[in-house]
């Protein structure tokens, strides 16, 4: 895939892009990955397995790192936001298009590198949707390599490396073979969306890995702090607060209250430097929540059934999933129950959301190291069919993607039902190593 990336040039040759070849390579990689996980599932763990897995994971990332991005432009918004902060401006006040028209920072006196970035920003009319920790990371990346992506690539690489370390520590704590880190380390989804597409979600995975380790160790305040970190990257993580609060409440009510207060305090402190934007702080988020719809699953079904009320219905369904998960954990206050409930909530949010981009599913990968559901692992591969949308779009045949979306999600739902039924018949929880 690395040499194939040279054929994906921004703004040109859309119909000639080798998307079919790209998809073929991704699915070949996924088959190899799935077989590797099955081998690890059945094989007796050997001391050399972990080192071999890390070596292959590192080699894949080093090969992909210098390659151009395939069907991706999001990191250019990261560059713009980082430059906005370094220029002393508030990224929540002006959209890039507004800043460009007004000659405001960082648009004033753009050089060739700045113009290169500006032309590649998607939805230039929408203010940033990214929370404060994300903004801080963007600024660090731009401080390292102004108007370039080299610094950001380095940060993403170190985030992935740190995630692997935390997941290895988690497996040791649980008494599981270290070789199970292969679920994340070799994931084609992680390789594409982080090493090639450079998505911010690599830091979400880092936070969720820290969250899992804190939960199984019984470190409640670090667990709440980890949720705050993830929430300040992607807002979905606020749904995990009730689950951990329910877990801690049965053990130490004072610590549960302290944890919730800590979470809230970290959120407030992170937003204080940008408070002059007032309600504009969330303009980008509201635009995203109200206007975006892409690659959705259950949201499409809700739209078919209730039309314009689909967002309300799916939002209510997400809330119900959180309440049920928290109730389950309250009744069974064990760390692994809380970890499993968190996975269920994350998957529910992904499936109910109006926008289900493949990189959002990377949020589930740290949990799959512990709960290796074959259905969920299969979904991480099926989601590459998202890129088929572009194949049809470039040929003026967008309606054909509706058929592809059935192929993307239906096998997963059938497999998930079969997996659940098998677990029920076996009289034990599914997703165990």
């Amino acid at each position: 895939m690395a040499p194939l990336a040279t054929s994906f040039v921004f703004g040109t040759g859309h119909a000639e892009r080798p998307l079919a070849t790209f998809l073929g390579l991704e699915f070949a990689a996924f088959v190899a990955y799935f077989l590797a996980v099955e081998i690890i599932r059945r094989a007796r763990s050997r001391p050399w397995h972990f080192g071999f897995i890390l070596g292959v994971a590192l080699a894949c990332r080093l090969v992909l790192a210098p390659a151009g991005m395939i069907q991706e432009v999001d990191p250019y918004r990261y560059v713009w936001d980082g430059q906005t902060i370094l220029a002393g401006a508030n990224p929540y006040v002006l959209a890039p298009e507004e800043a460009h028209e007004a000659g405001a920072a960082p648009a004033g006196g753009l050089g060739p590198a700045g113009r290169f970035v500006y032309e590649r920003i998607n939805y230039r009319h929408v203010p940033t949707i990214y929370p404060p920790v994300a903004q801080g990371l963007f600024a660090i990346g731009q401080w390292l390599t102004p108007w370039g992506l080299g610094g950001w690539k380095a940060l993403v690489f170190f985030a992935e490396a740190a995630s692997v370390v935390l997941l290895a520590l988690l497996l040791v704590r649980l008494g599981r073979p270290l070789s199970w880190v292969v679920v994340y380390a070799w994931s084609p989804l992680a390789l594409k969306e982080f090493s090639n597409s450079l998505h911010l979600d690599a830091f979400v995975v880092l936070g969720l890995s820290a969250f899992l380790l804190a939960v199984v160790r019984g470190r409640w305040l670090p667990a709440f702090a980890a949720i705050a970190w993830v929430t300040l990257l992607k807002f979905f993580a606020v749904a995990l607060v009730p689950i951990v609060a329910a877990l801690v409440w049965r053990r130490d009510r004072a610590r549960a209250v302290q944890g919730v207060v800590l979470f809230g305090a970290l959120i407030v402190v992170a937003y204080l430097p940008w408070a002059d934007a007032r309600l504009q702080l969330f303009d980008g988020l509201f635009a995203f929540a109200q206007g975006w719809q892409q690659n959705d699953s259950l949201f499409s079904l809700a739209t078919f059934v209730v039309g314009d009320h689909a967002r309300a219905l799916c939002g209510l369904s997400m809330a119900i999933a959180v309440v049920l998960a928290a109730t389950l954990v309250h009744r069974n206050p064990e760390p692994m129950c809380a970890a499993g409930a968190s996975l269920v909530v994350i998957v529910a949010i992904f499936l109910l959301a109006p926008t289900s981009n493949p990189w959002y599913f990377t949020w589930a990968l740290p949990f799959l190291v512990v709960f290796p559901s074959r259905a969920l692992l299969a979904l991480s591969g099926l989601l590459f069919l998202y890129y088929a949308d572009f194949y049809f779009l470039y040929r003026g045949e967008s309606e054909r993607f509706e058929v592809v979306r059935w192929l993307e999600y239906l096998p997963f739902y059938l497999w998930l039902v079969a997996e659940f039924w098998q677990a029920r018949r076996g009289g034990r929880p599914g997703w165990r190593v």
Side-chain angles (χ1 to χ4, degrees), residues 314-390:
C314 287
L316 177 61
S317 300
M318 291 179 191
I320 291 173
V322 172
V323 171
L324 291 176
T327 302
L328 174 65
V329 173
H330 185 263
R331 292 177 177 175
N332 181 22
E334 295 297 329
M336 292 304 290
C337 180
S342 299
L343 171 59
V344 170
V345 166
I346 287 172
V347 173
I349 290 172
F350 176 83
L351 295 174
L352 288 164
T355 301
S356 300
N357 293 321
W359 51 96
Y360 294 172
F361 194 71
T362 60
W363 308 340
L365 290 178
F367 297 87
L368 295 183
V369 172
V370 182
F371 305 103
S373 159
R374 290 184 176 93
L376 293 176
L377 288 172
L379 181 58
S380 75
L382 290 167
L383 284 170
F384 282 114
L385 285 171
Y386 157 88
Y387 291 98
D389 188 17
F390 297 101

Side-chain angles (χ1 to χ4, degrees), residues 88-109:
N90 189 328
Y92 298 101
V93 173
L94 295 177
E97 193 172 76
E98 294 171 328
H100 190 264
E101 291 173 355

